[in-house]
Amino acid sequence: PNFWWKDCSVPSTDALPDKTTAGLERGITRQINPAQGVLIIAGMYAAHSGWIDYEISEALRMGKMIIGVKPWGQERMPVKVQDAAHVIVNWNSASVVDAVRTYV
């Protein structure tokens, strides 16, 4: 109750049109810009993703709150997500909603 949100991520059905690195960077920046906070799924794949690095750096540059979401059953998390996140929460709606209400 009393919780409204909008998904600002790039929908899988409507990918970013410019597939160049610069075009994808502009598109990601455009998607992050209206958000008040950014959820980063802290799977270990994030440790090897340059795009996660870019999303984190843009969110920090824009002063957005970063909420790290630890996938269900995962024991390790990428250091870069731990270092950037204002808070780390578990993979369930109650903890994510509580973090958004508290930090965003």
Side-chain angles (χ1 to χ4, degrees), residues 15-68:
L16 296 172
D18 186 345
K19 304 296 186 215
T20 65
T21 298
L24 292 172
E25 287 175 349
R26 283 190 302 272
I28 290 170
T29 298
R30 196 170 44 250
Q31 297 299 122
I32 293 173
N33 190 47
Q36 292 176 289
V38 177
L39 300 177
I40 301 287
I41 308 303
M44 283 311 293
Y45 59 84
H48 306 289
S49 172
W51 291 114
I52 296 288
D53 293 344
Y54 183 79
E55 292 170 3
I56 288 171
S57 68
E58 280 299 273
L60 292 172
R61 182 184 69 78
M62 292 185 212
K64 309 294 182 177
M65 295 300 290
I66 297 177
I67 299 171

Side-chain angles (χ1 to χ4, degrees), residues 8 13 27 30 36 55 75 93 96 104:
C8 295
T13 57
R30 196 170 44 250
Q36 292 176 289
E55 292 170 3
E75 296 186 19
S93 58
V96 172
V104 177

Side-chain angles (χ1 to χ4, degrees), residues 86-99:
H86 295 89
V87 64
I88 305 286
V89 298
N90 290 318
W91 186 277
N92 63 63
S93 58
S95 63
V96 172
V97 168
D98 184 54

